Amino acid sequence: MNTLDVAGKLRGAGLRPTRQRVCLAELLFREGDRHVTAEKLHEEAARDDVRVSLATVYNTLNQFTQAGLLREVAIEGSKTYFDTNTSGHHHFYVEKTGELFDITDGVCLAQTPQAPEGMEISRIDVIVRLAERR
Amino acid sequence: MNTLDVAGKLRGAGLRPTRQRVCLAELLFREGDRHVTAEKLHEEAARDDVRVSLATVYNTLNQFTQAGLLREVAIEGSKTYFDTNTSGHHHFYVEKTGELFDITDGVCLAQTPQAPEGMEISRIDVIVRLAERR
DNA sequence: TTCACTGCAAATGATTTGCAAAGCA
DNA sequence: TGCTTTGCAAATCATTTGCAGTGAA
């Protein structure tokens, strides 16, 4: 995906393609599925000699999420992960390292639970926690 | 469950039954399954005229969790939830209110995913997020 | 008595926000 | 030019920690 595409993608999402948004979007979307924290993306940008403040990385990730370009992943603990794959899928989480990656086999629920009165299911998250084999 | 039982339960878990631990344990375990945050449990203790510092509530919840009396539940966002039901089961999460409760129908995965080389599954968390029906 | 536990306040870590300066349309 | 973004530093929120005082055995 080149710079023009990214700019278009941002415009399409209603986001002005500023230098920092374009750079971050390239980092996020040039490879396949990615799972990043704000901190990691910030470091990565720094490595690429892209000057972006950490605050802007946070703001940008939130804007991308609101725009539907990213999805937040629910993990207990302090850090928030963002996933470039916004379609419904589940995750492995390596407890020791904090790594997060997609489950590729077609894991799904045997039955969809019944939502309580007046409520509807907005999303189902499945996290499979992994530990080293003893 | 009365005070004596609670004290026994704590001793059984290797925890000295101090006043604050006993009080908190009573709040947690006297009813059925509960899902609390440190903040909420602290308020609840205050309402019962139990003097406990918030720091102690945090420490106690962590100790109970380590002792296997509680289970931490993974929800995205800032707050940590503790569940008095430590057996494998899944949750509904009401996005608007932050409420958390058990899924009672027997929802489970259609197939257990294959853990990667050298890893084993330590736990599977399923969170069904609920929104108000439009 | 002795060592674990508690409370307070200060420290921490992740994330957000206010506001002036800079950038895009 | 005019409104949007950015960067910085300060603010916030949930949680943890250091340490002196308190309590259980």
Side-chain angles (χ1 to χ4, degrees), chain B residues 16 18 20-21 51 53 56:
Chain B
R16 190 188 283 188
T18 63
Q20 16 293 75
R21 295 218 266 239
R51 294 157 294 109
S53 75
T56 297

Side-chain angles (χ1 to χ4, degrees), chain B residues 31-48:
Chain B
E31 295 168 42
D33 293 347
R34 302 209 53 193
H35 302 85
V36 300
T37 59
E39 200 78 43
K40 287 228 203 72
L41 185 59
H42 185 236
E43 282 169 25
E44 209 174 305
R47 247 181 276 122
D48 269 29

Side-chain angles (χ1 to χ4, degrees), chain A residues 14-32:
Chain A
L15 295 168
R16 190 187 284 189
T18 63
R19 177 180 61 77
Q20 18 291 77
R21 294 215 266 238
V22 170
C23 293
L24 293 176
E26 278 172 1
L27 288 174
L28 287 168
F29 303 117
R30 71 182 170 196
E31 295 168 43

Side-chain angles (χ1 to χ4, degrees), chain A residues 33 35 71 73 83-91 102-103 124-126:
Chain A
D33 294 347
H35 302 84
R71 183 216 237 239
V73 182
D83 186 346
T84 59
N85 178 351
T86 55
S87 60
H89 66 285
H90 307 313
H91 295 100
D102 291 348
I103 295 181
I124 299 182
D125 286 327
V126 177

